Amino acid sequence: MTQRLTGKIAVISGGASGMGVSHTRRMIQEGARVISFDLNEGAGPQLVDEFGKDNLIFLRGDVRNAEDWARVVSAGQAHFGTPNVLVNNAGISPLQTLEKVSEEDYRRVIDINQVGTFLGMQALIPSLRQGGGSIINIASTAALVAFADLFPYVASKWAVRGMTKAAALELARDGIRVNAVCPGDTDTPMIRAIAHTPSGALPPAADLPFKRWAQPEEISAAVAFLASDESSYMSGSELVIDGAFTAQ
Ligand SMILES: NC(=O)c1ccc[n+]([C@@H]2O[C@H](COP(=O)([O-])OP(=O)(O)OC[C@H]3O[C@@H](n4cnc5c(N)ncnc54)[C@H](O)[C@@H]3O)[C@@H](O)[C@H]2O)c1
């Protein structure tokens, strides 16, 4: 493993599960220090145990809350120094249809996936502009195509992809790069919970071009690349990691 992330201080939302843990592991393996936060604070002690307190701090926080973002940034600053990477990874993907989803449930998905991403980017701008920062927004193949039974999720992820491009243009003048990652089905608690949609809108893994889901580590490799200076001229783009699913 290279040490190309030495000197990087990364804030990762939704760091308690699935890809959030995998991104944390990969970043630390490559030399970064990580400020991880999640609604699920129970996961914190185990993460600090695995990665060491010199490499990771873990906080309870809600991406919907601007005060939590401010707390995360100042805790990171106090422990490691000014953050220069943000991974907006927290998200939810409940099975909900346009016809049946309540307004409250629709707004909940938009609040976490879309507004949470907005609040994260806004909170980190002052830090990121100090040193060629990189924002990585975790979108989805649901930001490129649509899936039935995931109406609010698709809406939120298309928004994240658009927000990524708008932010990339605005923040170019501050030397901040903003990119999206669009994973296909990836083996985490999230996809296991929705693998069988009522209409079969999500194909079984065996029907995918690669005949399998992605492993979280295969997505984390792209996140590490976007966090690193190797992607120094890349902004406003998306990296699609879907085993040719959207090529069909
Ligand atoms: N797994 C997939 O197939 C897949 C595919 C494409 C995109 N994604 C996206 O990847 C990201 C990570 O998903 P995952 O599969 O690892 O899911 P996961 O459910 O394993 O982890 C998501 C984490 O986000 C946290 N979270 C939820 N709401 C939060 C909030 N309000 N504030 C703070 N943390 C919160 C959860 O507690 C959980 O730890 C999500 O944005 C998801 O939409 C996942």
Side-chain angles (χ1 to χ4, degrees):
M1 196 71 63
T2 71
Q3 288 297 296
R4 65 184 166 169
L5 299 182
T6 301
K8 301 295 184 193
I9 299 167
V11 172
I12 301 181
S13 70
S17 173
M19 280 187 261
V21 176
S22 166
H23 302 334
T24 300
R25 183 175 295 116
R26 177 69 187 242
M27 302 272 244
I28 290 174
Q29 282 172 346
E30 293 211 43
R33 280 164 297 166
V34 171
I35 304 120
S36 169
F37 78 103
D38 201 292
L39 271 182
N40 173 13
E41 64 188 323
Q46 200 184 325
L47 291 172
V48 174
D49 219 39
E50 177 179 351
F51 298 115
K53 63 179 168 28
D54 292 343
N55 297 315
L56 174 103
I57 57 167
F58 182 89
L59 299 149
R60 189 204 174 275
D62 187 331
V63 292
R64 293 167 288 186
N65 186 331
E67 284 169 17
D68 283 4
W69 278 107
R71 214 165 37 80
V72 164
V73 172
S74 55
Q77 175 80 48
H79 276 78
F80 298 137
T82 307
N84 42 28
V85 174
L86 166 64
V87 186
N88 270 314
N89 167 76
I92 58 169
S93 66
L95 288 174
Q96 289 162 338
T97 62
L98 165 61
E99 186 174 11
K100 299 225 172 99
V101 68
S102 68
E103 180 180 343
E104 187 186 355
D105 287 347
Y106 180 83
R107 287 186 189 278
R108 180 158 184 272
V109 177
I110 298 298
D111 262 358
I112 295 175
N113 295 1
Q114 178 180 339
V115 181
T117 297
F118 151 65
L119 290 173
M121 290 197 288
Q122 193 172 61
L124 266 291
I125 289 172
S127 302
L128 298 178
R129 72 155 60 98
Q130 290 182 40
S134 174
I135 297 174
I136 300 138
N137 292 329
I138 306 301
S140 169
T141 46
L144 300 160
V145 295
F147 297 86
D149 307 328
L150 284 168
F151 182 79
Y153 184 75
V154 169
S156 71
K157 292 297 185 179
W158 277 76
V160 166
R161 186 165 148 240
M163 288 156 64
T164 298
K165 292 184 189 300
L169 279 176
E170 178 181 330
L171 300 180
R173 54 190 173 229
D174 293 305
I176 300 173
R177 300 182 296 108
V178 191
N179 293 286
V181 170
C182 297
D185 293 349
T186 305
D187 191 2
T188 71
M190 175 183 281
I191 196 72
R192 279 178 238 137
I194 60 165
H196 304 291
T197 63
S199 66
L202 286 184
D207 291 350
L208 295 171
F210 276 38
K211 314 277 181 226
R212 66 171 178 87
W213 289 338
Q215 289 304 306
E217 296 73 24
E218 295 175 300
I219 313 303
S220 301
V223 171
F225 166 68
L226 289 172
S228 80
D229 297 338
E230 287 188 66
S231 55
S232 53
Y233 199 63
M234 190 163 170
S235 195
S237 298
E238 53 264 328
L239 273 178
V240 182
I241 307 157
D242 70 348
F245 174 71
T246 53
Q248 298 178 95

